Amino acid sequence: MNSPDDTGAAQDPRADAADGRQATALDMLRDELRAFAGEREWEIFHSPKNLAMALSAEAGELIEVFQWLTEDESRHLEPAALGAARDELADVLLYLVRLADTLGIDLFDAARRKLAANARKYPVDKARGSRRKYDEL
Amino acid sequence: MNSPDDTGAAQDPRADAADGRQATALDMLRDELRAFAGEREWEIFHSPKNLAMALSAEAGELIEVFQWLTEDESRHLEPAALGAARDELADVLLYLVRLADTLGIDLFDAARRKLAANARKYPVDKARGSRRKYDEL
Amino acid sequence: MNSPDDTGAAQDPRADAADGRQATALDMLRDELRAFAGEREWEIFHSPKNLAMALSAEAGELIEVFQWLTEDESRHLEPAALGAARDELADVLLYLVRLADTLGIDLFDAARRKLAANARKYPVDKARGSRRKYDEL
Amino acid sequence: MNSPDDTGAAQDPRADAADGRQATALDMLRDELRAFAGEREWEIFHSPKNLAMALSAEAGELIEVFQWLTEDESRHLEPAALGAARDELADVLLYLVRLADTLGIDLFDAARRKLAANARKYPVDKARGSRRKYDEL
């Protein structure tokens, strides 16, 4: 995504192109995780299959924070639960970024496209106040 | 994280502070998702509890892409599987960003802190080539 | 399933009907869990929504046992990993039984029906040695 | 568990020993799944690692049934949602039984032991009406 080809910015792809600049948070994490895994020689363990499992396990830990709370309680977490949620959200993001990297997927671009697709699937006038899936709207 | 207090940048926290600028990809998604939910009046459904469930369900769909593949196959996905993985990764990121927003958590900051903590828990010389948990190193 | 209507056994549905007798392992766990929750006044927390979350969190802990192992290693677990797997499998079963009870679902009957449906969806001659989904066979 | 050694029933372990007889529902599913996989030559795909992933993906589909419902709504599912829940519960049980079989784990025995351990960790007088984890009681 930050390659000149993608952004059309020949000299510094992050400097001008809106998308290029926006992606840098995820790019930075990607690069740091790549270095982190490389230094520890963990690439051999970091198959996409294994990383998908690790992400899913972290999602399970996130669920654990909320499982016995009411929805209302989940909106007003106590400090300990909020700290636990923060840690698990971070873990999910780290594995997500690492998994995307091993697959050569641009996360930010994928998310933007999905969001655009969701906007088409859930038109405001039909989806307002509804929990239905798009194919039931 | 982008508040003056956090970045120490009094006037425009995104302009100069490296961290502030880096966070913009996630900030942009956060703002778009907030608008997306607001227009559809979905805030009532978007309790952190429910969003954690939705994230976990998407992580399950991600797992499904890989469950019958060997690790090696997962490193060389066929186009259909790669497209499916991209969609599911996007879904996980979107719910992750939305969940963090409803909790008031700065995802990028949380990830950076977690990465720093992981670097302390997994020193390079002890963790190299090992799958052990930090408390077994 | 153990009702006279379902088993056709008018007097003691468990005494003669093969299915009725077979279900007793799950029935016993169901009854024990119902008593367990009742004594602790946990019914208020045991909504199907919450129990589905708890089951999913345990599935995440199960995943954690296997995430860095090769498939071959997962077939020959070391004692500590095997013990961890046993605990997590037990947790999943307990929440599964409890969740089915709160929904009034007969787990054994549901599993038998699903297995029969799977046999139709995956005919032996087409499915042999294949990982494809039924709609791609 | 149904071996004479485990049940102490020398002649027919299922005939008299309570535990032996109770286990038959899960044993029957185990045997049927073993035959199902064998006929289709799926043993090669059914590593414990892969089966744990499949179970987790089904748990994700179960979550999807409940994610936008209130707890109260989850206690009174509409027929379509109840049918979906039944199917997903069945899928989880089938993978659970199959996974336990590939690991040589007796599910019923594991669940009984876990339940006994939980009874010790959550004494009635301390746990009544509380959602706290055992180490916080």
Side-chain angles (χ1 to χ4, degrees):
Chain A
M1 173 170 230
N2 286 316
S3 75
D5 289 347
D6 285 351
T7 63
Q11 300 187 316
D12 179 352
R14 300 193 189 186
D16 294 84
D19 267 18
R21 193 177 59 221
Q22 298 307 327
T24 47
L26 294 167
D27 289 347
M28 178 185 277
L29 290 175
R30 178 199 65 202
D31 293 345
E32 288 179 349
L33 286 166
R34 200 185 286 179
F36 193 94
E39 287 168 359
R40 287 160 185 78
E41 300 175 7
W42 283 357
E43 291 97 339
I44 192 172
F45 307 127
H46 282 192
S47 66
K49 182 182 179 93
N50 289 3
L51 291 166
M53 295 180 82
L55 187 157
S56 178
E58 298 298 343
E61 294 189 29
L62 184 64
I63 282 281
E64 210 183 330
V65 174
F66 297 104
Q67 63 193 7
W68 304 124
L69 302 184
T70 66
E71 284 187 65
D72 196 53
E73 287 167 334
S74 81
R75 294 184 193 267
H76 307 93
L77 291 184
E78 295 180 10
L82 184 60
R86 181 184 289 114
D87 276 353
E88 303 308 338
L89 286 169
D91 283 332
V92 172
L93 181 59
L94 293 175
Y95 280 122
L96 188 67
V97 168
R98 181 74 182 134
L99 173 52
D101 188 29
T102 64
L103 291 171
I105 289 172
D106 185 305
L107 254 188
F108 182 65
D109 180 60
R112 296 296 301 281
R113 288 171 191 267
K114 199 69 198 289
L115 198 48
N118 286 346
R120 288 189 296 272
K121 281 156 73 176
Y122 294 93
V124 169
D125 59 327
K126 288 192 178 172
R128 188 178 291 124
S130 166
R131 292 170 293 189
R132 292 197 189 160
K133 279 200 90 165
Y134 63 94
D135 50 5
E136 296 168 356
L137 282 179
Chain B
M1 171 173 225
N2 287 318
S3 74
D5 290 346
D6 286 350
T7 62
Q11 300 186 318
D12 179 353
R14 299 191 190 187
D16 294 86
D19 268 16
R21 194 177 58 219
Q22 299 306 327
T24 49
L26 294 167
D27 289 347
M28 178 186 278
L29 290 175
R30 178 200 64 203
D31 293 345
E32 288 179 347
L33 286 166
R34 202 186 285 179
F36 193 94
E39 286 168 358
R40 287 161 186 77
E41 298 175 8
W42 282 358
E43 291 96 340
I44 191 172
F45 308 127
H46 282 192
S47 66
K49 182 182 179 93
N50 289 2
L51 291 166
M53 295 180 83
L55 187 156
S56 179
E58 298 297 343
E61 294 189 28
L62 184 64
I63 282 280
E64 210 182 330
V65 175
F66 296 105
Q67 63 193 6
W68 305 124
L69 303 183
T70 65
E71 284 187 65
D72 196 52
E73 288 168 333
S74 81
R75 293 184 193 267
H76 306 94
L77 291 185
E78 296 181 10
L82 184 60
R86 181 183 291 112
D87 275 353
E88 302 309 337
L89 286 169
D91 283 332
V92 172
L93 181 59
L94 293 175
Y95 280 122
L96 188 66
V97 168
R98 180 75 181 134
L99 173 53
D101 188 28
T102 62
L103 291 170
I105 288 172
D106 185 306
L107 255 188
F108 182 66
D109 180 59
R112 296 297 301 280
R113 287 171 192 265
K114 199 69 198 288
L115 198 49
N118 286 345
R120 288 190 297 273
K121 281 157 72 176
Y122 294 94
V124 170
D125 58 326
K126 287 192 180 173
R128 189 179 291 125
S130 166
R131 292 171 293 190
R132 294 197 188 158
K133 280 201 88 164
Y134 64 92
D135 51 5
E136 296 168 356
L137 283 178
Chain C
M1 171 170 229
N2 285 318
S3 75
D5 289 347
D6 285 350
T7 62
Q11 301 188 316
D12 179 353
R14 299 193 191 186
D16 294 85
D19 267 17
R21 194 177 60 218
Q22 297 308 326
T24 47
L26 295 167
D27 289 347
M28 178 185 278
L29 290 176
R30 179 199 62 202
D31 293 345
E32 289 179 348
L33 285 166
R34 202 185 285 179
F36 193 94
E39 287 168 357
R40 286 162 186 78
E41 299 175 9
W42 283 357
E43 291 98 339
I44 191 172
F45 307 127
H46 282 193
S47 66
K49 182 182 179 91
N50 289 2
L51 291 165
M53 294 180 82
L55 186 156
S56 179
E58 298 297 343
E61 293 189 28
L62 185 63
I63 282 280
E64 210 183 331
V65 175
F66 296 104
Q67 64 193 8
W68 305 124
L69 303 184
T70 66
E71 284 187 65
D72 195 55
E73 287 168 334
S74 81
R75 293 184 193 268
H76 306 94
L77 291 184
E78 295 181 12
L82 185 60
R86 181 183 289 113
D87 276 354
E88 302 308 338
L89 287 169
D91 283 332
V92 173
L93 182 59
L94 293 174
Y95 280 122
L96 188 67
V97 169
R98 181 74 182 133
L99 173 52
D101 188 28
T102 63
L103 291 170
I105 289 173
D106 186 305
L107 255 189
F108 183 65
D109 181 59
R112 295 297 300 281
R113 288 171 191 266
K114 199 69 198 286
L115 199 47
N118 286 346
R120 288 190 297 273
K121 280 156 74 175
Y122 294 94
V124 169
D125 59 327
K126 287 192 180 173
R128 189 178 290 124
S130 166
R131 292 170 294 189
R132 293 197 188 159
K133 280 200 89 163
Y134 64 93
D135 50 6
E136 297 169 355
L137 282 179
Chain D
M1 172 170 230
N2 286 317
S3 74
D5 289 346
D6 285 351
T7 62
Q11 299 189 318
D12 179 352
R14 299 192 189 187
D16 294 85
D19 268 16
R21 194 178 58 220
Q22 299 307 327
T24 48
L26 294 168
D27 289 348
M28 178 186 279
L29 290 175
R30 177 199 65 202
D31 293 345
E32 288 179 348
L33 285 167
R34 202 186 285 179
F36 193 94
E39 287 168 359
R40 286 159 185 78
E41 299 176 7
W42 282 358
E43 291 98 338
I44 192 172
F45 307 127
H46 281 192
S47 66
K49 181 181 180 94
N50 289 1
L51 291 166
M53 294 179 83
L55 187 156
S56 178
E58 298 298 343
E61 294 189 29
L62 184 64
I63 282 279
E64 210 183 331
V65 175
F66 297 104
Q67 63 194 6
W68 305 124
L69 303 183
T70 65
E71 284 187 64
D72 196 52
E73 288 167 333
S74 81
R75 294 183 193 267
H76 306 94
L77 291 184
E78 295 181 11
L82 185 60
R86 181 184 290 113
D87 275 354
E88 302 310 337
L89 286 170
D91 282 333
V92 172
L93 182 58
L94 292 174
Y95 280 122
L96 188 67
V97 168
R98 180 74 182 135
L99 173 52
D101 188 28
T102 63
L103 291 171
I105 288 173
D106 184 306
L107 255 188
F108 183 66
D109 180 60
R112 297 296 301 281
R113 286 171 192 266
K114 200 69 198 288
L115 199 48
N118 285 346
R120 287 189 297 273
K121 281 155 74 175
Y122 293 95
V124 169
D125 59 327
K126 287 192 180 173
R128 188 178 291 126
S130 166
R131 292 170 293 190
R132 293 197 188 161
K133 281 201 87 165
Y134 63 92
D135 51 5
E136 296 169 355
L137 283 177

